[in-house]
Amino acid sequence: MTGELKRGIKLIKYGFNLKSSILIAVLFFIMGIVISIMDSKVSLLGGTYIMLGPLMSVQIVSMLTCANSVAASSYKRVLEIWIPNLAGFLSITFGYSFIIVITALKIRKTPLLETDNLRNLVCIGALACVLGIYMSTAYKSFFMSIFLFTVAYMFVYFSTDILLEVTKIHLTILSAALIGFCFILLGSVLSFMFSKAFYKKPISKYAVGGAFRKYM
């Protein structure tokens, strides 16, 4: 399995529109940082963009699996299940770690907003869970994934404060970060399970650009 993972990772450089995907990833990441800096508190939108940037690595791998030549290869299972989920977990973890640093800096600058910033940090962790699950299903059931992602995203957005209030959890930067990472781990486990469940389902043509459909 380790050898297959290494070979599968090497295939990423042959991803469709690799340079464009990397450019979009960098733009998302920069936009997230700018929004986070401009907002007085830790921005949920900015945090989402910061995680979306690195998550473009999942899209690059997923586009590889759309090609018929890859679909018929012995690396299909590795490219469709293991590498996207590994890339997704590492990408979200990297992005969330960056958001923790931003949160710590904002708390140091404006101590009066500490509670709001910590709650937003937890909320972004929950959103990361939803985002990770979405990336694992979007290329198999595009419209269903969009609908479920929107519903789950809105639920997390509006319910996190209520849940924290009800549970009476005392948040510190450490506890908020740990809760966030627990959400990320949960999202990664569910993402892996969904990937296995949808493995035999064909790639949705609505999930890829028109220029790539001729290779499917």
Side-chain angles (χ1 to χ4, degrees), residues 52-85:
L52 270 176
L55 263 178
M56 289 299 293
S57 60
V58 178
Q59 176 174 299
I60 295 170
V61 178
S62 297
M63 294 293 276
L64 269 175
T65 62
C66 293
N68 289 326
S69 57
V70 174
S73 74
S74 59
Y75 297 108
K76 181 177 185 294
R77 191 174 185 85
V78 173
L79 283 169
E80 194 164 313
I81 297 178
W82 290 96
I83 293 180
N85 283 288

Side-chain angles (χ1 to χ4, degrees), residues 76-77 80-81 133 136-142 144-145 148 190-203:
K76 181 177 185 294
R77 191 174 185 85
E80 194 164 313
I81 297 178
I133 296 171
S136 70
T137 59
Y139 290 91
K140 294 301 183 81
S141 298
F142 181 68
M144 183 195 75
S145 297
L148 293 178
L190 292 175
S191 174
F192 182 78
M193 292 172 64
F194 278 118
S195 295
K196 293 188 71 174
F198 285 96
Y199 174 66
K200 293 184 178 180
K201 186 177 177 64
I203 298 290

Side-chain angles (χ1 to χ4, degrees), residues 155-177:
F155 174 78
V156 170
Y157 186 89
F158 289 109
S159 66
T160 301
D161 279 350
I162 298 173
L163 291 174
L164 288 173
E165 190 67 35
V166 170
T167 53
K168 302 294 182 181
I169 296 176
H170 174 66
L171 292 177
T172 62
I173 187 69
L174 179 59
S175 63

Side-chain angles (χ1 to χ4, degrees), residues 51 92-100 121 124-125 176-177 180-181 184:
M51 290 184 293
I92 289 178
T93 299
F94 170 78
Y96 193 68
S97 299
F98 202 87
I99 296 165
I100 292 173
L121 182 61
I124 291 173
F181 278 123
I184 291 172

